[in-house]
Amino acid sequence: MTSSLHPVIIIFAGALLVGVLRGRLKNFVSVLTPVLGLVNLIVIANGAPAGDDTWTLSVMDLELVTARFDKLSLLFGYLFHIAAIITSIYSLHVRDNMQRVTGLLYAGSAIGAVLAGDLITLFVFWELLAVTSVFQIWARRTERASSSGVRYLLLHVSSGLLLLVGATMIYGDTGSLAFGEIGLKGTGAGGILVFLALGIKCGFPLLHTWLIDSYPEATASGAVYLCCFTTKTAVYGM
């Protein structure tokens, strides 16, 4: 393994730096951060045996797969880093620190979600997606944006709770938290709850109202961020 730095760490660290820096240095770091993240991910992929490897973390009695580098997760990881580079460049004109910082945190959460190898790690980044992305709506600072953001957050946090309950039920039935093929057959209610959790973020019919409610109320750069990560992460999960 030629790199041992989780890709999310680079994005989150860069976001914190963007929050304290000013002027041209802030702009430089905001674009450089996802570039370095992309380089780091490429290095990891080249160092992994046959391009397929996992990083694990033991938490109490659970063995969590904090990162899984297979062909599909790497593809989405590359695409999300590229999207983060493009959105960072597009947002260079934005003077609102909150948008700039949460935009990078939002991109990092999406990257963490597609690299997750277990349902608990996925849940953590799933909820971070909701919390970080809502600020792209609230940043418009209008009454309608505020109300829309609250509705958005409630629905997406509920999606995370469905995912957590589903994961708990699957673990109780199978003894495994692996984020792999789950399906709707043979997994009982747990599989259905995970499916619904993914469906909310995918924008399934009747579960899609947050799309038409929130996107128009986001800022111009915020709408670009929203288009890049949330639904695409859900499609990966599906």
PDB file of all heavy atoms in Angstrom, residues 185-215:
ATOM      1  N   LYS A 185     -35.426  -9.771  -1.323  1.00  0.00           N
ATOM      2  CA  LYS A 185     -35.826 -11.132  -0.976  1.00  0.00           C
ATOM      3  C   LYS A 185     -34.810 -11.735  -0.017  1.00  0.00           C
ATOM      4  O   LYS A 185     -33.612 -11.629  -0.215  1.00  0.00           O
ATOM      5  CB  LYS A 185     -35.922 -11.996  -2.231  1.00  0.00           C
ATOM      6  CG  LYS A 185     -37.027 -11.571  -3.200  1.00  0.00           C
ATOM      7  CD  LYS A 185     -37.077 -12.505  -4.403  1.00  0.00           C
ATOM      8  CE  LYS A 185     -38.205 -12.114  -5.354  1.00  0.00           C
ATOM      9  NZ  LYS A 185     -38.270 -13.018  -6.538  1.00  0.00           N
ATOM     10  N   GLY A 186     -35.299 -12.329   1.020  1.00  0.00           N
ATOM     11  CA  GLY A 186     -34.422 -13.016   1.957  1.00  0.00           C
ATOM     12  C   GLY A 186     -33.836 -12.120   3.028  1.00  0.00           C
ATOM     13  O   GLY A 186     -33.130 -12.600   3.915  1.00  0.00           O
ATOM     14  N   THR A 187     -34.120 -10.819   2.994  1.00  0.00           N
ATOM     15  CA  THR A 187     -33.587  -9.922   4.011  1.00  0.00           C
ATOM     16  C   THR A 187     -34.700  -9.334   4.876  1.00  0.00           C
ATOM     17  O   THR A 187     -34.430  -8.550   5.780  1.00  0.00           O
ATOM     18  CB  THR A 187     -32.812  -8.757   3.356  1.00  0.00           C
ATOM     19  OG1 THR A 187     -33.652  -8.098   2.407  1.00  0.00           O
ATOM     20  CG2 THR A 187     -31.573  -9.270   2.662  1.00  0.00           C
ATOM     21  N   GLY A 188     -35.930  -9.697   4.590  1.00  0.00           N
ATOM     22  CA  GLY A 188     -37.048  -9.260   5.413  1.00  0.00           C
ATOM     23  C   GLY A 188     -37.245  -7.757   5.367  1.00  0.00           C
ATOM     24  O   GLY A 188     -36.936  -7.081   4.389  1.00  0.00           O
ATOM     25  N   ALA A 189     -37.751  -7.223   6.480  1.00  0.00           N
ATOM     26  CA  ALA A 189     -38.062  -5.800   6.567  1.00  0.00           C
ATOM     27  C   ALA A 189     -36.797  -4.946   6.484  1.00  0.00           C
ATOM     28  O   ALA A 189     -36.850  -3.810   6.022  1.00  0.00           O
ATOM     29  CB  ALA A 189     -38.815  -5.513   7.864  1.00  0.00           C
ATOM     30  N   GLY A 190     -35.666  -5.500   6.936  1.00  0.00           N
ATOM     31  CA  GLY A 190     -34.418  -4.743   6.897  1.00  0.00           C
ATOM     32  C   GLY A 190     -34.039  -4.318   5.489  1.00  0.00           C
ATOM     33  O   GLY A 190     -33.666  -3.162   5.242  1.00  0.00           O
ATOM     34  N   GLY A 191     -34.147  -5.236   4.547  1.00  0.00           N
ATOM     35  CA  GLY A 191     -33.828  -4.925   3.158  1.00  0.00           C
ATOM     36  C   GLY A 191     -34.778  -3.889   2.577  1.00  0.00           C
ATOM     37  O   GLY A 191     -34.368  -3.014   1.814  1.00  0.00           O
ATOM     38  N   ILE A 192     -36.058  -3.969   2.960  1.00  0.00           N
ATOM     39  CA  ILE A 192     -37.054  -3.003   2.467  1.00  0.00           C
ATOM     40  C   ILE A 192     -36.753  -1.606   2.999  1.00  0.00           C
ATOM     41  O   ILE A 192     -36.840  -0.612   2.268  1.00  0.00           O
ATOM     42  CB  ILE A 192     -38.472  -3.447   2.880  1.00  0.00           C
ATOM     43  CG1 ILE A 192     -38.827  -4.756   2.186  1.00  0.00           C
ATOM     44  CG2 ILE A 192     -39.491  -2.364   2.555  1.00  0.00           C
ATOM     45  CD1 ILE A 192     -40.146  -5.353   2.636  1.00  0.00           C
ATOM     46  N   LEU A 193     -36.360  -1.507   4.271  1.00  0.00           N
ATOM     47  CA  LEU A 193     -36.048  -0.204   4.860  1.00  0.00           C
ATOM     48  C   LEU A 193     -34.819   0.423   4.204  1.00  0.00           C
ATOM     49  O   LEU A 193     -34.795   1.632   3.949  1.00  0.00           O
ATOM     50  CB  LEU A 193     -35.829  -0.346   6.367  1.00  0.00           C
ATOM     51  CG  LEU A 193     -37.068  -0.679   7.198  1.00  0.00           C
ATOM     52  CD1 LEU A 193     -36.713  -0.825   8.663  1.00  0.00           C
ATOM     53  CD2 LEU A 193     -38.135   0.399   7.024  1.00  0.00           C
ATOM     54  N   VAL A 194     -33.800  -0.387   3.942  1.00  0.00           N
ATOM     55  CA  VAL A 194     -32.611   0.128   3.255  1.00  0.00           C
ATOM     56  C   VAL A 194     -32.990   0.602   1.856  1.00  0.00           C
ATOM     57  O   VAL A 194     -32.528   1.650   1.386  1.00  0.00           O
ATOM     58  CB  VAL A 194     -31.511  -0.948   3.193  1.00  0.00           C
ATOM     59  CG1 VAL A 194     -30.351  -0.495   2.301  1.00  0.00           C
ATOM     60  CG2 VAL A 194     -30.992  -1.257   4.589  1.00  0.00           C
ATOM     61  N   PHE A 195     -33.845  -0.164   1.185  1.00  0.00           N
ATOM     62  CA  PHE A 195     -34.310   0.209  -0.154  1.00  0.00           C
ATOM     63  C   PHE A 195     -35.038   1.552  -0.123  1.00  0.00           C
ATOM     64  O   PHE A 195     -34.815   2.414  -0.986  1.00  0.00           O
ATOM     65  CB  PHE A 195     -35.231  -0.894  -0.686  1.00  0.00           C
ATOM     66  CG  PHE A 195     -35.797  -0.618  -2.053  1.00  0.00           C
ATOM     67  CD1 PHE A 195     -35.000  -0.719  -3.182  1.00  0.00           C
ATOM     68  CD2 PHE A 195     -37.131  -0.265  -2.211  1.00  0.00           C
ATOM     69  CE1 PHE A 195     -35.519  -0.477  -4.450  1.00  0.00           C
ATOM     70  CE2 PHE A 195     -37.662  -0.017  -3.471  1.00  0.00           C
ATOM     71  CZ  PHE A 195     -36.850  -0.123  -4.598  1.00  0.00           C
ATOM     72  N   LEU A 196     -35.893   1.761   0.870  1.00  0.00           N
ATOM     73  CA  LEU A 196     -36.620   3.027   0.995  1.00  0.00           C
ATOM     74  C   LEU A 196     -35.666   4.179   1.311  1.00  0.00           C
ATOM     75  O   LEU A 196     -35.847   5.295   0.810  1.00  0.00           O
ATOM     76  CB  LEU A 196     -37.682   2.915   2.087  1.00  0.00           C
ATOM     77  CG  LEU A 196     -38.906   2.063   1.752  1.00  0.00           C
ATOM     78  CD1 LEU A 196     -39.817   1.947   2.969  1.00  0.00           C
ATOM     79  CD2 LEU A 196     -39.667   2.663   0.578  1.00  0.00           C
ATOM     80  N   ALA A 197     -34.659   3.902   2.141  1.00  0.00           N
ATOM     81  CA  ALA A 197     -33.670   4.932   2.468  1.00  0.00           C
ATOM     82  C   ALA A 197     -32.949   5.397   1.210  1.00  0.00           C
ATOM     83  O   ALA A 197     -32.755   6.602   0.992  1.00  0.00           O
ATOM     84  CB  ALA A 197     -32.674   4.391   3.485  1.00  0.00           C
ATOM     85  N   LEU A 198     -32.549   4.448   0.379  1.00  0.00           N
ATOM     86  CA  LEU A 198     -31.903   4.785  -0.884  1.00  0.00           C
ATOM     87  C   LEU A 198     -32.882   5.493  -1.814  1.00  0.00           C
ATOM     88  O   LEU A 198     -32.507   6.433  -2.527  1.00  0.00           O
ATOM     89  CB  LEU A 198     -31.369   3.518  -1.552  1.00  0.00           C
ATOM     90  CG  LEU A 198     -30.272   2.746  -0.814  1.00  0.00           C
ATOM     91  CD1 LEU A 198     -29.969   1.438  -1.526  1.00  0.00           C
ATOM     92  CD2 LEU A 198     -29.010   3.570  -0.685  1.00  0.00           C
ATOM     93  N   GLY A 199     -34.133   5.042  -1.804  1.00  0.00           N
ATOM     94  CA  GLY A 199     -35.137   5.614  -2.688  1.00  0.00           C
ATOM     95  C   GLY A 199     -35.424   7.076  -2.420  1.00  0.00           C
ATOM     96  O   GLY A 199     -35.663   7.854  -3.347  1.00  0.00           O
ATOM     97  N   ILE A 200     -35.381   7.477  -1.147  1.00  0.00           N
ATOM     98  CA  ILE A 200     -35.615   8.887  -0.811  1.00  0.00           C
ATOM     99  C   ILE A 200     -34.548   9.767  -1.453  1.00  0.00           C
ATOM    100  O   ILE A 200     -34.839  10.779  -2.084  1.00  0.00           O
ATOM    101  CB  ILE A 200     -35.633   9.084   0.713  1.00  0.00           C
ATOM    102  CG1 ILE A 200     -36.902   8.457   1.308  1.00  0.00           C
ATOM    103  CG2 ILE A 200     -35.565  10.572   1.077  1.00  0.00           C
ATOM    104  CD1 ILE A 200     -36.943   8.473   2.826  1.00  0.00           C
ATOM    105  N   LYS A 201     -33.290   9.361  -1.298  1.00  0.00           N
ATOM    106  CA  LYS A 201     -32.211  10.164  -1.860  1.00  0.00           C
ATOM    107  C   LYS A 201     -32.146  10.047  -3.384  1.00  0.00           C
ATOM    108  O   LYS A 201     -31.675  10.964  -4.058  1.00  0.00           O
ATOM    109  CB  LYS A 201     -30.863   9.753  -1.241  1.00  0.00           C
ATOM    110  CG  LYS A 201     -30.493  10.550  -0.001  1.00  0.00           C
ATOM    111  CD  LYS A 201     -29.112  10.206   0.472  1.00  0.00           C
ATOM    112  CE  LYS A 201     -28.570  11.198   1.476  1.00  0.00           C
ATOM    113  NZ  LYS A 201     -29.414  11.554   2.595  1.00  0.00           N
ATOM    114  N   CYS A 202     -32.623   8.928  -3.931  1.00  0.00           N
ATOM    115  CA  CYS A 202     -32.678   8.769  -5.387  1.00  0.00           C
ATOM    116  C   CYS A 202     -33.765   9.642  -6.008  1.00  0.00           C
ATOM    117  O   CYS A 202     -33.702   9.973  -7.192  1.00  0.00           O
ATOM    118  CB  CYS A 202     -32.955   7.309  -5.762  1.00  0.00           C
ATOM    119  SG  CYS A 202     -31.494   6.272  -5.877  1.00  0.00           S
ATOM    120  N   GLY A 203     -34.767  10.001  -5.207  1.00  0.00           N
ATOM    121  CA  GLY A 203     -35.881  10.775  -5.729  1.00  0.00           C
ATOM    122  C   GLY A 203     -36.915   9.904  -6.410  1.00  0.00           C
ATOM    123  O   GLY A 203     -37.430  10.252  -7.475  1.00  0.00           O
ATOM    124  N   PHE A 204     -37.221   8.739  -5.795  1.00  0.00           N
ATOM    125  CA  PHE A 204     -38.260   7.868  -6.324  1.00  0.00           C
ATOM    126  C   PHE A 204     -39.590   8.631  -6.437  1.00  0.00           C
ATOM    127  O   PHE A 204     -39.826   9.566  -5.672  1.00  0.00           O
ATOM    128  CB  PHE A 204     -38.462   6.669  -5.385  1.00  0.00           C
ATOM    129  CG  PHE A 204     -37.491   5.542  -5.609  1.00  0.00           C
ATOM    130  CD1 PHE A 204     -36.412   5.669  -6.461  1.00  0.00           C
ATOM    131  CD2 PHE A 204     -37.659   4.335  -4.940  1.00  0.00           C
ATOM    132  CE1 PHE A 204     -35.524   4.630  -6.652  1.00  0.00           C
ATOM    133  CE2 PHE A 204     -36.770   3.287  -5.125  1.00  0.00           C
ATOM    134  CZ  PHE A 204     -35.706   3.439  -5.987  1.00  0.00           C
ATOM    135  N   PRO A 205     -40.467   8.227  -7.353  1.00  0.00           N
ATOM    136  CA  PRO A 205     -41.802   8.820  -7.418  1.00  0.00           C
ATOM    137  C   PRO A 205     -42.485   8.772  -6.054  1.00  0.00           C
ATOM    138  O   PRO A 205     -42.410   7.756  -5.361  1.00  0.00           O
ATOM    139  CB  PRO A 205     -42.526   7.938  -8.443  1.00  0.00           C
ATOM    140  CG  PRO A 205     -41.432   7.439  -9.328  1.00  0.00           C
ATOM    141  CD  PRO A 205     -40.254   7.224  -8.426  1.00  0.00           C
ATOM    142  N   LEU A 206     -43.103   9.877  -5.680  1.00  0.00           N
ATOM    143  CA  LEU A 206     -43.757  10.116  -4.397  1.00  0.00           C
ATOM    144  C   LEU A 206     -42.749  10.397  -3.282  1.00  0.00           C
ATOM    145  O   LEU A 206     -43.133  10.875  -2.206  1.00  0.00           O
ATOM    146  CB  LEU A 206     -44.662   8.941  -3.981  1.00  0.00           C
ATOM    147  CG  LEU A 206     -45.753   8.551  -4.978  1.00  0.00           C
ATOM    148  CD1 LEU A 206     -46.581   7.403  -4.424  1.00  0.00           C
ATOM    149  CD2 LEU A 206     -46.643   9.743  -5.324  1.00  0.00           C
ATOM    150  N   LEU A 207     -41.469  10.114  -3.521  1.00  0.00           N
ATOM    151  CA  LEU A 207     -40.418  10.438  -2.551  1.00  0.00           C
ATOM    152  C   LEU A 207     -39.490  11.522  -3.112  1.00  0.00           C
ATOM    153  O   LEU A 207     -38.447  11.792  -2.542  1.00  0.00           O
ATOM    154  CB  LEU A 207     -39.590   9.183  -2.219  1.00  0.00           C
ATOM    155  CG  LEU A 207     -40.339   8.001  -1.612  1.00  0.00           C
ATOM    156  CD1 LEU A 207     -39.405   6.808  -1.433  1.00  0.00           C
ATOM    157  CD2 LEU A 207     -40.952   8.399  -0.261  1.00  0.00           C
ATOM    158  N   HIS A 208     -39.923  12.143  -4.198  1.00  0.00           N
ATOM    159  CA  HIS A 208     -39.059  13.069  -4.923  1.00  0.00           C
ATOM    160  C   HIS A 208     -39.360  14.536  -4.632  1.00  0.00           C
ATOM    161  O   HIS A 208     -38.683  15.425  -5.174  1.00  0.00           O
ATOM    162  CB  HIS A 208     -39.252  12.857  -6.437  1.00  0.00           C
ATOM    163  CG  HIS A 208     -40.576  13.338  -6.933  1.00  0.00           C
ATOM    164  ND1 HIS A 208     -41.763  12.718  -6.598  1.00  0.00           N
ATOM    165  CD2 HIS A 208     -40.916  14.409  -7.708  1.00  0.00           C
ATOM    166  CE1 HIS A 208     -42.770  13.368  -7.159  1.00  0.00           C
ATOM    167  NE2 HIS A 208     -42.285  14.399  -7.841  1.00  0.00           N
ATOM    168  N   THR A 209     -40.312  14.817  -3.770  1.00  0.00           N
ATOM    169  CA  THR A 209     -40.761  16.194  -3.593  1.00  0.00           C
ATOM    170  C   THR A 209     -39.649  17.118  -3.091  1.00  0.00           C
ATOM    171  O   THR A 209     -39.678  18.320  -3.350  1.00  0.00           O
ATOM    172  CB  THR A 209     -41.944  16.238  -2.614  1.00  0.00           C
ATOM    173  OG1 THR A 209     -41.581  15.565  -1.401  1.00  0.00           O
ATOM    174  CG2 THR A 209     -43.156  15.546  -3.216  1.00  0.00           C
ATOM    175  N   TRP A 210     -38.670  16.568  -2.370  1.00  0.00           N
ATOM    176  CA  TRP A 210     -37.579  17.402  -1.880  1.00  0.00           C
ATOM    177  C   TRP A 210     -36.766  18.005  -3.023  1.00  0.00           C
ATOM    178  O   TRP A 210     -36.171  19.089  -2.870  1.00  0.00           O
ATOM    179  CB  TRP A 210     -36.667  16.586  -0.957  1.00  0.00           C
ATOM    180  CG  TRP A 210     -35.950  15.439  -1.617  1.00  0.00           C
ATOM    181  CD1 TRP A 210     -36.381  14.146  -1.711  1.00  0.00           C
ATOM    182  CD2 TRP A 210     -34.678  15.478  -2.267  1.00  0.00           C
ATOM    183  NE1 TRP A 210     -35.463  13.377  -2.381  1.00  0.00           N
ATOM    184  CE2 TRP A 210     -34.395  14.176  -2.733  1.00  0.00           C
ATOM    185  CE3 TRP A 210     -33.736  16.476  -2.504  1.00  0.00           C
ATOM    186  CZ2 TRP A 210     -33.224  13.856  -3.413  1.00  0.00           C
ATOM    187  CZ3 TRP A 210     -32.564  16.162  -3.180  1.00  0.00           C
ATOM    188  CH2 TRP A 210     -32.327  14.864  -3.628  1.00  0.00           C
ATOM    189  N   LEU A 211     -36.741  17.316  -4.175  1.00  0.00           N
ATOM    190  CA  LEU A 211     -35.989  17.830  -5.323  1.00  0.00           C
ATOM    191  C   LEU A 211     -36.581  19.144  -5.830  1.00  0.00           C
ATOM    192  O   LEU A 211     -35.870  20.139  -5.987  1.00  0.00           O
ATOM    193  CB  LEU A 211     -35.978  16.788  -6.447  1.00  0.00           C
ATOM    194  CG  LEU A 211     -35.087  15.570  -6.259  1.00  0.00           C
ATOM    195  CD1 LEU A 211     -35.470  14.475  -7.242  1.00  0.00           C
ATOM    196  CD2 LEU A 211     -33.629  15.956  -6.468  1.00  0.00           C
ATOM    197  N   ILE A 212     -37.872  19.133  -6.079  1.00  0.00           N
ATOM    198  CA  ILE A 212     -38.510  20.324  -6.635  1.00  0.00           C
ATOM    199  C   ILE A 212     -38.729  21.396  -5.559  1.00  0.00           C
ATOM    200  O   ILE A 212     -38.983  22.554  -5.877  1.00  0.00           O
ATOM    201  CB  ILE A 212     -39.849  19.970  -7.305  1.00  0.00           C
ATOM    202  CG1 ILE A 212     -40.770  19.220  -6.336  1.00  0.00           C
ATOM    203  CG2 ILE A 212     -39.606  19.118  -8.536  1.00  0.00           C
ATOM    204  CD1 ILE A 212     -42.120  18.871  -6.924  1.00  0.00           C
ATOM    205  N   ASP A 213     -38.629  21.010  -4.302  1.00  0.00           N
ATOM    206  CA  ASP A 213     -38.789  21.960  -3.205  1.00  0.00           C
ATOM    207  C   ASP A 213     -37.485  22.682  -2.893  1.00  0.00           C
ATOM    208  O   ASP A 213     -37.470  23.898  -2.650  1.00  0.00           O
ATOM    209  CB  ASP A 213     -39.294  21.217  -1.968  1.00  0.00           C
ATOM    210  CG  ASP A 213     -39.510  22.143  -0.783  1.00  0.00           C
ATOM    211  OD1 ASP A 213     -39.842  23.331  -1.001  1.00  0.00           O
ATOM    212  OD2 ASP A 213     -39.337  21.701   0.366  1.00  0.00           O
ATOM    213  N   SER A 214     -36.374  21.962  -2.931  1.00  0.00           N
ATOM    214  CA  SER A 214     -35.112  22.517  -2.438  1.00  0.00           C
ATOM    215  C   SER A 214     -34.222  23.133  -3.515  1.00  0.00           C
ATOM    216  O   SER A 214     -33.612  24.186  -3.292  1.00  0.00           O
ATOM    217  CB  SER A 214     -34.320  21.426  -1.708  1.00  0.00           C
ATOM    218  OG  SER A 214     -34.052  20.333  -2.571  1.00  0.00           O
ATOM    219  N   TYR A 215     -34.134  22.499  -4.669  1.00  0.00           N
ATOM    220  CA  TYR A 215     -33.208  22.990  -5.686  1.00  0.00           C
ATOM    221  C   TYR A 215     -33.471  24.449  -6.080  1.00  0.00           C
ATOM    222  O   TYR A 215     -32.518  25.239  -6.188  1.00  0.00           O
ATOM    223  CB  TYR A 215     -33.256  22.092  -6.925  1.00  0.00           C
ATOM    224  CG  TYR A 215     -32.437  20.825  -6.811  1.00  0.00           C
ATOM    225  CD1 TYR A 215     -32.398  20.108  -5.619  1.00  0.00           C
ATOM    226  CD2 TYR A 215     -31.711  20.342  -7.888  1.00  0.00           C
ATOM    227  CE1 TYR A 215     -31.657  18.946  -5.514  1.00  0.00           C
ATOM    228  CE2 TYR A 215     -30.964  19.174  -7.786  1.00  0.00           C
ATOM    229  CZ  TYR A 215     -30.942  18.475  -6.591  1.00  0.00           C
ATOM    230  OH  TYR A 215     -30.212  17.329  -6.478  1.00  0.00           O
TER     231      TYR A 215
END
